[in-house]
Amino acid sequence: MNIPEKMKAAVLMAPGTLEIKEIITPQPGPADVLIKVNSCAICGSDVSLMARPWPGQPPFGSFIPGHEYSGVVVALGETVDEFRLGDRVAVEAHYGCGRCLNCRRGDYTSCLNYGDLSKGHRANGFTTNGGYAEYVVNHINTVYLVPDNISLEEASLVTNAGCVLYGFESLGGLVAGDSVVVMGPGPLGLMSVQVANALGADQVFLLGTRPERLKIGLEAGADHLVNVRETDPIAFVKDRTKGKGADLVIETSGSEEGPDLALHLCKRMGKVLLIGFPHRPVPADFGFMGLNNIHLYSVRGEGRANCRRAISLMKQGKIRARPLITHSFSLSEITEGFRVFNEREGGAIKVLIMP
Amino acid sequence: MNIPEKMKAAVLMAPGTLEIKEIITPQPGPADVLIKVNSCAICGSDVSLMARPWPGQPPFGSFIPGHEYSGVVVALGETVDEFRLGDRVAVEAHYGCGRCLNCRRGDYTSCLNYGDLSKGHRANGFTTNGGYAEYVVNHINTVYLVPDNISLEEASLVTNAGCVLYGFESLGGLVAGDSVVVMGPGPLGLMSVQVANALGADQVFLLGTRPERLKIGLEAGADHLVNVRETDPIAFVKDRTKGKGADLVIETSGSEEGPDLALHLCKRMGKVLLIGFPHRPVPADFGFMGLNNIHLYSVRGEGRANCRRAISLMKQGKIRARPLITHSFSLSEITEGFRVFNEREGGAIKVLIMP
Amino acid sequence: MNIPEKMKAAVLMAPGTLEIKEIITPQPGPADVLIKVNSCAICGSDVSLMARPWPGQPPFGSFIPGHEYSGVVVALGETVDEFRLGDRVAVEAHYGCGRCLNCRRGDYTSCLNYGDLSKGHRANGFTTNGGYAEYVVNHINTVYLVPDNISLEEASLVTNAGCVLYGFESLGGLVAGDSVVVMGPGPLGLMSVQVANALGADQVFLLGTRPERLKIGLEAGADHLVNVRETDPIAFVKDRTKGKGADLVIETSGSEEGPDLALHLCKRMGKVLLIGFPHRPVPADFGFMGLNNIHLYSVRGEGRANCRRAISLMKQGKIRARPLITHSFSLSEITEGFRVFNEREGGAIKVLIMP
Amino acid sequence: MNIPEKMKAAVLMAPGTLEIKEIITPQPGPADVLIKVNSCAICGSDVSLMARPWPGQPPFGSFIPGHEYSGVVVALGETVDEFRLGDRVAVEAHYGCGRCLNCRRGDYTSCLNYGDLSKGHRANGFTTNGGYAEYVVNHINTVYLVPDNISLEEASLVTNAGCVLYGFESLGGLVAGDSVVVMGPGPLGLMSVQVANALGADQVFLLGTRPERLKIGLEAGADHLVNVRETDPIAFVKDRTKGKGADLVIETSGSEEGPDLALHLCKRMGKVLLIGFPHRPVPADFGFMGLNNIHLYSVRGEGRANCRRAISLMKQGKIRARPLITHSFSLSEITEGFRVFNEREGGAIKVLIMP
């Protein structure tokens, strides 16, 4: 294919400041593919790392963020026969380093060489260049073929869904027949509702504060909507679980009350999964946790190849990305896209940048 | 409620011989309920244990088989407030003994005091009286409330589905996105196809020999039907799994070739679950198993309260019992019912006895 | 055996007040044994529940605490052949109810009918009478035979060790080769050091504030002692784990800084186990937890029959209770025993009451 | 260090025929180290793959076998700072490919690109050159630092012990307090006895046919020796496990009766691990397996970095390699070494080749 020598990309120049630059189009290494980006979804972590660089992030002026993207394979590394030119693909952010003990045991999202590029670590959009660009290079370990019945726009949300599925895999066991509380009707929360349903949850409670967002939860398959400003969520959930609390609680809101409320919504011997996190240390009642033998899991990223599961569930129509995509902007409009996302203008949930 | 002193029941009098007798209606113990049986489904294990008594089975003349039943609660033990008179309920066969190490750790279907009634062991339809009777007593641990949108006829198959779900729970991990082969289009096989789908399997292969049964598998949600008399199943499955084999293989046929074929259908590092078993020792290539690091699981019964999951998936419409129920007979016609089941007359799959 | 009609027991009469009373000797139910108590160890939870009754605890004037005891079987329930008169036995506190979903699945320490005696719940020393008495009744599920090479005094600590082992079982996986931090050199901490060693930990760090207690940790097998008043524990542990932190962190101190410090001592993708808990909600950095994909487990009690493992490790000489037993008192001196325990007089660790 | 351009190596020229050749000393790639081999232990799989090439094995005339070796690092790939020149190291055979789904999830011993060197697969001594040579190249993922208190000769057996530990990790759960049967007193069996002990097994039974080998099992820590030519092993084990059978059965003999006997030695709900495998399909009673809800695991290789655990247990003195090393030969005597190993001359267990 005809690949230009230079491409346009949104480079992080200063806190919160992206500029569209012309830079050299990257070339794939031996086990990489070059992807022409179709769409890259804005994620809350983009906002965070653009405001204040995360550990391992390249310096201002040299870094292209964006980790939830999809596109078309336009060049192959010399050893690659897993993909073909023209393949429509989704990605996961984390390659890892391939040589620390965590990567060796399959826990590459928790790479012990995180951010050490000299050791081979790559996490596109975090420590290496990401998807707010016309082209991006991915190791094949982070690339997934997209079936025909999924659009590339939807495929941008595979990373998001993969993260939720990695959370469910981390919990262990079946979800079928369990009651599940999801806290926070943001993108991860709405996806969690869908995944809980897809895995056979008996009933799903969605907790939030904004009525219009909760309503979208209904379409996502929540059985109960709880506006925590109006209703005591603990009483509500206990009332519908024979006084026991939920088998699983998924906290995605990242609010300061989140972890402690999650523990109190959980039944004895139940499990809590944290996907959203408060920005600073917050109090939690560990005594209650212990008295009720609750285990508290956290996940970072879309680990253990769960993007594979995400794509399959999308293909089967069991999780739907389309309703979460509310806006799209061209690459040159990226700053406006971030504004809309941050201000939730027009009920913005997922905002796509289309390079 | 008005409970007669005597009831009709099908008593096993000799190998393969059931007779309808009038016997004393049993009374519930402190933590039991008395169930008026609506329907009891014939299971292949009934045929087996009626032909040749299983370990722990009561002697001829004193035993009522039948373990897949549903009905209505008509009397409560003195400590029971978990159920109310009139509740529509499904059951699981195994209570266990409640006092061996396996029961203590929740593995009551594998009770170490199996068949020892003096230690409290109860497995209705195996070691204690079952559901081919007007009334039957169950410990509340073995009783499950049936939601309104499930008929009692369908609820008779909860035990069957609970067994399949216990198998999936035993395997560990998520099924979402995995390829699954189901061997044998009998009741357990057709239910396995449905459960694999309900848990998000990427593609489900159903293997069998009878075209009409395989066709039912299509309705059950199989993506691929393989008539092993016409098609090499290993080549077929490998061809559709990039040469790797299936992530999971569920063997329900009980054929002599079953275990070895299951291993060869399985991918490297995959899992095989045996739910059906050959009647005698059969050869298997353990060297192949080891070279491919395959784990081989087996389950007996509907363990670890998986009937709870079964009912939830039925309530959600994700598994359907109705298409598997092909015939029903009154209690007095039970011998005819077994004949139809055994000869698969009229495409018999599940045959209900309605006391 | 000759069992008196009345026995002496320490009855909780008011907050913190035990009185020795003469009361009717209890009789074993059908699946129970009557134990003549040899020794009952004071546990921190005794102090807590005597100060302020725990949920499900019987009222003042009717309750005998004490849950870490051993003794000799002196009477058998009518169905019991698992034990014989004269058997030397250790116990676990929790029977559970045997009929809730958690008990059904083997999680009896997390019984959903906790404290509901009408449902059969029993937790000796918590919701039913315990071991500060001459005699006590135990369901056989809570009784363990003591091998000849373990004294009954040592056997009083089986419950303590069983709790630690249940924690390790809950974490999943092997410990062999892992680095383990134990926080808090109290009885549970010193036992955790021993168990970590017995399971093959590569190196064990013991953290505390009191030099004399830490020294005992050395005998218990700790490789590194860290006085957190003198040494930065995070720097110390990272320095000896190639900058990564520990694979496992066991927090037993119950201090307010405990949970958050535990998270920061843990490596990326590591695990934290809480066995001790602060008395009120305390802050923790859940964002750090998520960024490092840490899972946080808590356990209550000696679940899933882990007293069996505890006794075996004691028999093998891999965990030793003797060094933890610093004092013993007769039943009539129980108040003095509690004083010594509370004031840690004479370096008190475990104090035994000998009825 | 001074590395010669050419080295001596034992090249497989024809079935069963090794010849010492002078060949070019290999050079490490960017993430590799070059190891000067101290000792390489003969393994039963060497004999097998030399007799008849295994899948993925290079052609005669171009392949150096040997996968259980240790040595000293003498050259570093350009990106390597995990090791230093002069480091004493042990190895594992399997690197995997680093790019298939199994490798991605940490199951590199079950690489889906096994034998495909163009995809990067490496398994030294199986698909790439091994340790019967003066020098060998290893990816750092397969290299482990050897502590000072372990000799390099002992370190040659790290791979062997790592395989056993990977088996135990695959089984899940704790071993402490369990009864374990080990079948076959060969190197893997004797190591399994030691590992079972190191993990806290309550009692270990060792089954075999040769009295002198069984006796070594006693030193390895077996509690019971069973000569199956003289004693019925099932009766013996049941007699010492209250009639239940063993919690775990480890079959290492590879005999044709092995798998079926293993099932019958196992308790209800127990686990069987196959580490040795018969050369052809053999019969097993899967019906018995199912009736007793037994799970049957198999492992290939020293997966999931278990060599790390092996080294730690050796360092702690909990497993000892020394007693298993009966002979050593220089590289030029390798054919004699294999003869002694095959004929078990002089009670040969592990035979070392010292290049």
Side-chain angles (χ1 to χ4, degrees), chain B residues 274-353:
Chain B
L274 302 183
I275 309 186
F277 306 95
H279 292 290
R280 50 178 195 132
V282 298
D285 188 345
F286 294 99
F288 179 88
M289 181 185 172
L291 210 59
N292 289 287
N293 211 112
I294 293 170
H295 300 326
L296 180 54
Y297 299 80
S298 72
V299 290
R300 177 191 189 174
E302 64 299 320
R304 299 191 75 78
N306 273 281
C307 290
R308 178 180 70 90
R309 300 192 204 278
I311 286 179
S312 179
L313 291 179
M314 279 191 187
K315 183 186 74 176
Q316 299 171 50
K318 291 184 177 170
I319 58 177
R320 290 175 307 135
R322 176 63 63 200
L324 304 185
I325 302 172
T326 53
H327 297 74
S328 68
F329 294 89
S330 70
L331 184 60
S332 60
E333 299 166 317
I334 189 168
T335 300
E336 172 68 0
F338 267 89
R339 191 192 60 75
V340 167
F341 178 83
N342 281 327
E343 300 181 4
R344 290 173 178 158
E345 189 177 281
I349 303 175
K350 289 303 275 189
V351 173
L352 299 189
I353 304 303

Side-chain angles (χ1 to χ4, degrees), chain D residues 145-207:
Chain D
L145 202 62
V146 174
D148 289 344
N149 70 344
I150 305 174
S151 73
L152 284 177
E153 288 72 31
E154 293 166 306
S156 309
L157 269 65
V158 162
T159 321
N160 178 300
C163 180
V164 171
L165 276 154
Y166 174 46
F168 276 92
E169 179 171 328
S170 298
L171 296 171
L174 299 183
V175 175
D178 281 353
S179 53
V180 180
V181 170
V182 176
M183 301 167 62
L188 282 167
L190 293 168
M191 191 57 88
S192 296
V193 168
Q194 295 193 60
V195 170
N197 265 320
L199 300 180
D202 188 66
Q203 52 180 340
V204 180
F205 301 81
L206 178 62
L207 274 54

